[in-house]
Amino acid sequence: MNNNIGEDDDDLLISGARNNNRGQINLDLSNYSCNIPDITPSFDLLNFRKFILNQNWNMSDLQELILNCQLSSIKLRLSIWRLFLGIFSIDDPLEQKIIKLNQHRQDYQNLSKQYLQAETKKESKRTIRNPLLQNQQEQQKPNVWNNFFEINHLKSEIKKDVDRTHQDKQLFQSLKIKNLLSNILFIWSVKNPSISYRQGMNELAANVIEVYFTEAQGFNSLEDSDDKKEIAIFYDTKFAEEDIFQLFEQIMVAHVDMFKHTPESQKKQQLIIQNRIQKIYDQQLKIIDVTLFKHLKVQDVELSVFLVRWIRCMFTREFHVEDSLKVWDAIFYDYYLTEDKQWLLLVDCVVIAMFVYVRDQILEKDDPNACLKRFLKYPPVENLAQLIQAAFSIKRVLQSANPEQALLQDQFLITFLGSRDVSKSPKIFQNAKNQEILEENNKLIEATNLKQQDSIEMQMNQAQLLLKALNQGIVCIQRFNTDKSVNEVKQLLENAKSELLKCLDQQSN
């Protein structure tokens, strides 16, 4: 889809930004060839040849960069995301990558003709018809008014969010960028009518726009050469809208369940993300940090108030843009490595790591509103790499056969969980800074076993006392009563005594 849009083509743009110049910036972005504000061009031709054109490298080569939040250092975030999200494969030769790229672009152009340009033509040819007509036969005909109002409502919702997107950034005040973002969201929404548009999608697409132009502008700033011509098709900004949509759509493939919601089954679809939140809270957090879990339970903190936003927007509001992209690097890398690609699983683990990062502050608060305020206004993370590494460690622990044991053996995670106020850390981590950490953990396991044995002995003593009381009750009944109803009670006591003796025998063995 050629983005050289003329003044007469306003009817193809759904944002309506051209009709409202208040606060808008008329940047000359024809073909996006000029310097784009808020974008620092970044591209490395040698790394492109190494990681994109070379088929003989392993994705694990990127692991250290991602764990240390340094993927941006190779200046290929867009291209690497294309690999992570399955647009290209490492094994694809250059010709195959180009074929796939062109096919995706053609698919988007077809969607544009089907949903965007065709809709404009329908509006211009729409016949006037009374939507209140009561004739049954007439009402059975396809009602163009229903579609008309639905489409216009969708356009209005998208426009409101597009106008609110990154208002502090000059890039997103550009009419051309607003139109590009609007078109992408509109076409995705009408292509997926059961989900349509939901708040938060605009923020996901906005991140993709920044990543795209960072790399495309970096490429275009290179001096002309044969090497540049060979790969120029990957960064042809005539197809900016197509390529951004392609990446946004792949993200939504992995993340779409978190947005599902239709009028017919609102509760069921809302339950998808609510179930995910409940699992994070009641199962995963309880394993990683039972002290924090209990505190949040006692305070009755409603996690969905902020977790819906955290998960749907993938932390775009909790971190600065560049930091959110580093978190996305890790999420997409993990998605690439995960065989069962139901959703972006590392998102859950980042959530738990973020909980633990502010645990000391949360444990100090005895008011649920104060806890919510801390989560809603999340503090800056000084060491983002540490948080991301903790998220990967949390995932390994949760997926292990014995999470509790795996937790005790994960030295990095122990350090992360006990790295702030040790006196408030979970007891199993209070020796985290001891050099003999493994030895201390073994002692802790032994102490836990002894504690379990003491608990068993206490239960047996209680059972012995109960048995003595049962015997006394049976003697009293035999001595003073012969009534049939009393005999029935006696039989019940005898049965209870028999069952209790069996339990004691089992405990003794």
Side-chain angles (χ1 to χ4, degrees), residues 21 65 101 184 309 372-373 402 419:
N21 292 323
L65 291 174
L101 183 68
I184 287 170
R309 184 188 75 192
L372 276 176
K373 187 176 179 181
N402 187 339
S419 61

Side-chain angles (χ1 to χ4, degrees), residues 53-75:
L53 301 186
N54 178 20
Q55 297 171 246
N56 300 316
W57 68 281
N58 195 301
M59 189 65 79
S60 61
D61 295 345
L62 297 174
Q63 180 171 316
E64 186 175 350
L65 291 174
I66 290 169
L67 290 178
N68 291 301
C69 298
Q70 295 176 350
L71 184 65
S72 59
S73 66
I74 65 173
K75 303 180 179 181

Side-chain angles (χ1 to χ4, degrees), residues 48 64 84 172 197 205 219 226 233 241 262 267 318 350 359 364 419 454 494:
F48 189 91
E64 186 175 350
F84 285 168
F172 288 93
Y197 174 75
F219 174 82
D226 291 340
I233 190 169
E241 192 170 304
T262 62
K267 291 182 179 179
E318 284 58 58
V350 172
R359 74 183 306 277
E364 290 174 354
S419 61
D454 292 342
E494 290 284 5

Side-chain angles (χ1 to χ4, degrees), residues 21-70:
N21 292 323
R22 185 173 54 185
Q24 309 297 331
I25 298 173
N26 282 299
L27 296 171
D28 180 15
L29 293 181
S30 57
N31 209 22
Y32 306 102
S33 57
C34 67
N35 291 329
I36 297 181
D38 303 310
I39 292 294
T40 303
S42 180
F43 178 80
D44 190 296
L45 186 57
L46 291 178
N47 281 332
F48 189 91
R49 301 194 71 85
K50 175 182 176 181
F51 292 104
I52 307 303
L53 301 186
N54 178 20
Q55 297 171 246
N56 300 316
W57 68 281
N58 195 301
M59 189 65 79
S60 61
D61 295 345
L62 297 174
Q63 180 171 316
E64 186 175 350
L65 291 174
I66 290 169
L67 290 178
N68 291 301
C69 298
Q70 295 176 350

